[in-house]
Every structure is written in C-alpha cells, then in structure tokens.
Amino acid sequence: DARVTQTPRHKVTEMGQEVTMRCQPILGHNTVFWYRQTMMQGLELLAYFRNRAPLDDSGMPKDRFSAEMPDATLATLKIQPSEPRDSAVYFCASGLPGPNTGELFFGEGSRLTVL
Amino acid sequence: SQQGEEDPQALSIQEGENATMNCSYKTSINNLQWYRQNSGRGLVHLILIRSNEREKHSGRLRVTLDTSKKSSSLLITASRAADTASYFCATAQSGNTPLVFGKGTRLSVIA
C-alpha cells in the first residue's frame, strides 16, 4: 500500500529552536510538494520539486525556511529559527510526472507547535 | 493566494440527504480536483475533472464544471455520517503550475 510518510507527526518546540520535518514520497513519484495548513490561511504552497530540483519556493520565508531533496526517497523542510507564527500543520504530497496533470497523494502531516 | 473558493464554508445535513458544495475560481485551468480531509488527517483525492469535461461521476459523487462561469460543484448523494469531513477544491492552471487549494467546506452529516 503506497503512501507518503511524514515524520514527526507532532512536534512541540520553543521559539528559536531548529525544526526539521521529513517526507518519504511514493516510490516513482518525481514531483514533491510542501504545503502548510492553518485555520486562517488554509493550504499554502511552500515549495515543490521535480526530479529533486526545486522549481518554486516563493511561498517560503527564505530567511528561516529551507527545503531540500537529498535523494529521491527523502524531502526535508527545515525552519531555523522557529517562531510561534510557524505553528501549523505541514503536509508533504507527491505526484506523478507533470505537476498539474494528476492527483496528489498527501502524507498525514506534521503538526508543529512553537511556544 | 487561493485560486478556488468553496461555498458554503460549513454545511450540516441529515444522513440520507444530498450535500452540494460549490467552488469558484479566477483564472483559466487545466483541471479541477476535489479532495477530502478527515479531522487530523491528510487530504485524499476524490475526483479530477478536466477543463474540456462538464460532468463526472464516481460512486455517490458527482462533479460538474462550468468553465464559462469558472465554477464547479461537488454533489454527494445519500450522505452518510462517515462523509463528515472537510472538502477542498484545487485547481491546476494551464501551464507548469502546481495545485492551488481553496479553504474548504466543512461538512457535518448527522445520523
């Protein structure tokens, strides 16, 4: 049963700490997305990759967020330093070739709370 | 920024009734998709309709697309308590852009 796996599922940290979220996309999917979900803003696209290359990260605060794909089986999203306004659920999703031609498969999310 | 906007924001119905959710969008699209999210879970794809299609069915789901009005609707027939969830529309614009999601409709089906 292929699925997108995200870790950690929950993270509580203090302001100023580094946070790293990890995602294992579905094998064979070459497009990976990071979305952030909050009550106020809904689902916001932070960054996405195709064939491990970053295509768009304009949705991310560049001074504190970074996204990478060290290999085809791992995508990471780092926040350093974290701030209370970063509290949200972060979703990773993967899809088949072509970012806008087919469905996305989402992980269960990483719920981040920054105190 | 949201491309799709769902309406209503929240909907409460009795089990067995039909639920209709609407989505409006602003620019031309390649396709429109509907997703479901149970509380505390990730989004799950329900159905995709392409810009050259007008209606699509999947089980108890019926989706329509009116590109002239830039709108879509999702109909869930004979609703069940298990259909309680948030439903999101997402649009893929023509060209090389990712899915943009609306803020969703929260559906409550009361047994």
Side-chain angles (χ1 to χ4, degrees), chain B residues 64-95:
Chain B
T64 62
L65 179 64
D66 187 336
T67 53
S68 67
K69 295 181 179 178
K70 291 187 170 58
S71 68
S72 172
S73 68
L74 170 67
L75 168 68
I76 304 174
T77 59
S79 63
R80 306 165 181 168
D83 294 328
T84 295
S86 291
Y87 292 82
F88 296 86
C89 71
T91 52
Q93 290 183 261
S94 300

Side-chain angles (χ1 to χ4, degrees), chain B residues 25 28-32 48-56 64-68 92 94:
Chain B
Y25 57 92
S28 63
I29 60 171
N30 175 279
N31 66 67
L32 185 144
L48 179 154
I49 187 166
R50 301 199 185 281
S51 59
N52 60 353
E53 297 175 312
R54 291 297 167 258
E55 187 170 313
K56 208 162 183 180
T64 62
L65 179 64
D66 187 336
T67 53
S68 67
S94 300

Side-chain angles (χ1 to χ4, degrees), chain A residues 13-19 64 79-84 86 112 114:
Chain A
T13 191
E14 293 188 346
M15 182 172 62
Q17 296 298 305
E18 177 178 304
V19 176
R64 299 184 300 108
I79 308 174
Q80 168 63 23
S82 58
E83 298 181 1
D86 301 329
L112 173 65
V114 183

Side-chain angles (χ1 to χ4, degrees), chain A residues 4-6 12 27 30 48 69 81 90 102:
Chain A
V4 175
T5 303
Q6 288 188 247
V12 179
L27 190 65
N30 70 347
Y48 75 102
M69 279 202 75
Y90 291 81

Side-chain angles (χ1 to χ4, degrees), chain A residues 9 21 26 30 46 53 55 62-63 66 71-72 75 87 93 108:
Chain A
R9 288 294 314 276
M21 289 167 274
I26 292 173
N30 70 347
L46 296 177
L55 290 190
K62 298 290 191 308
D63 55 339
S66 63
D71 62 60
S87 297
E108 296 286 23

Side-chain angles (χ1 to χ4, degrees), chain A residues 35 40 50 100 104 108, chain B residues 31 35 41 95-96 99 103:
Chain A
Y35 285 89
M40 291 298 294
R50 188 187 304 157
N100 62 346
L104 291 187
E108 296 286 23
Chain B
N31 66 67
Y35 287 77
R41 308 294 299 273
N96 199 25
L99 285 180
K103 290 192 176 182

Side-chain angles (χ1 to χ4, degrees), chain A residues 43-61:
Chain A
L43 273 159
E44 302 173 279
L45 178 69
L46 296 177
Y48 75 102
F49 297 78
R50 188 187 304 157
N51 297 322
R52 297 174 54 202
L55 290 190
D56 185 358
D57 60 1
S58 59
M60 290 199 313

